[in-house]
Amino acid sequence: MRLILLGPPGAGKGTQAQFLIEKFGIPQLSTGDMLRAAIAAQTALGLEVKDIIARGDLVPDEVVVGIISDRLDEADCSNGFILDGFPRTTAQAEALEELLKDKGIALDAVVEMQADADTLVGRILARAAESGGAREDDNEEVLRNRLDVYQELTAPLVDFYSKKGLVKTVDGMAGIEEVTTSILAALAA
């Protein structure tokens, strides 16, 4: 199963990815996690992207595409993967399409998790409070910027992938188990 999870920040993509990992036995490729790990390890890449992420802006496409390309070559991706946080723009989707074509890989589905922006801000601020502000980008100003960036740059991917017949839309505002059930039903359809 080769999936992309789409949805605004805080929609629950990471949570749902964990259920899908268990269900299908495939890895989650979270560009956000990969970039945060690079920052924590203070790699050259991590130092390069730290300020970009702290502002809530997007990391340059060539950096993210390179990370994804390398990750797809690892053995645990041979039976599939879940892309979470990538692609975020039409240009990235086109680059991913070329990358997958070059590797002889086809996507099975794009799961769109729809969610209300104001509710998401509340969710993320609650997450920040629970974690003691572990993520630098979990504050309302940066969050609102991330939501605006999502609407402007990432939301158009729903149309991009709909034209390819890949989009499965679920209500990301439902309870966790209900969202999981909806995703599994959509993938089975």
Side-chain angles (χ1 to χ4, degrees), residues 8-11 114-125 140 143-144 146-148 150-151 173:
Q114 292 183 333
D116 173 70
D118 290 329
T119 304
L120 292 177
V121 170
R123 271 189 189 178
I124 295 173
L125 293 176
E140 188 161 0
L143 278 172
R144 294 282 178 190
R146 288 173 62 205
L147 288 167
D148 290 345
Y150 176 82
Q151 282 305 320
M173 301 309 297

Side-chain angles (χ1 to χ4, degrees), residues 14-67:
T15 299
Q16 292 304 318
Q18 294 308 307
F19 293 110
L20 296 170
I21 288 166
E22 290 177 29
K23 171 75 175 168
F24 297 111
I26 55 177
Q28 173 189 14
L29 309 185
S30 169
T31 55
D33 288 348
M34 287 186 252
L35 291 170
R36 281 188 289 278
I39 290 168
Q42 296 186 342
T43 65
L45 172 69
L47 296 173
E48 179 184 339
V49 300
K50 182 178 181 179
D51 292 336
I52 296 169
I53 291 175
R55 287 192 306 270
D57 292 333
L58 296 178
V59 174
D61 290 353
E62 61 275 3
V63 173
V64 180
V65 171
I67 289 171

Side-chain angles (χ1 to χ4, degrees), residues 170-181:
V170 298
D171 177 6
M173 301 309 297
I176 292 172
E177 294 82 13
E178 188 178 337
V179 174
T180 303
T181 300

Side-chain angles (χ1 to χ4, degrees), residues 30-188:
S30 169
T31 55
D33 288 348
M34 287 186 252
L35 291 170
R36 281 188 289 278
I39 290 168
Q42 296 186 342
T43 65
L45 172 69
L47 296 173
E48 179 184 339
V49 300
K50 182 178 181 179
D51 292 336
I52 296 169
I53 291 175
R55 287 192 306 270
D57 292 333
L58 296 178
V59 174
D61 290 353
E62 61 275 3
V63 173
V64 180
V65 171
I67 289 171
I68 294 295
S69 179
D70 290 347
R71 185 65 180 90
L72 288 175
D73 291 338
E74 294 182 25
D76 65 338
C77 291
S78 62
N79 292 324
F81 52 83
I82 301 165
L83 282 169
D84 168 15
F86 183 86
R88 291 191 180 194
T89 65
T90 302
Q92 286 181 354
E94 290 166 348
L96 177 64
E97 199 168 48
E98 282 301 309
L99 174 68
L100 293 177
K101 182 179 168 190
D102 290 347
K103 292 181 182 289
I105 298 170
L107 289 172
D108 293 304
V110 175
V111 177
E112 177 199 16
M113 296 177 62
Q114 292 183 333
D116 173 70
D118 290 329
T119 304
L120 292 177
V121 170
R123 271 189 189 178
I124 295 173
L125 293 176
R127 175 179 77 188
E130 289 171 10
S131 69
R135 283 180 55 175
E136 223 175 273
D137 56 345
D138 281 352
N139 69 67
E140 188 161 0
E141 182 181 338
V142 172
L143 278 172
R144 294 282 178 190
N145 182 52
R146 288 173 62 205
L147 288 167
D148 290 345
V149 168
Y150 176 82
Q151 282 305 320
E152 179 184 340
L153 300 176
T154 308
L157 293 180
V158 174
D159 186 51
F160 179 87
Y161 286 114
S162 289
K163 290 176 181 172
K164 299 174 185 309
L166 291 171
V167 175
K168 312 285 187 182
T169 301
V170 298
D171 177 6
M173 301 309 297
I176 292 172
E177 294 82 13
E178 188 178 337
V179 174
T180 303
T181 300
S182 296
I183 290 172
L184 294 175
L187 292 175

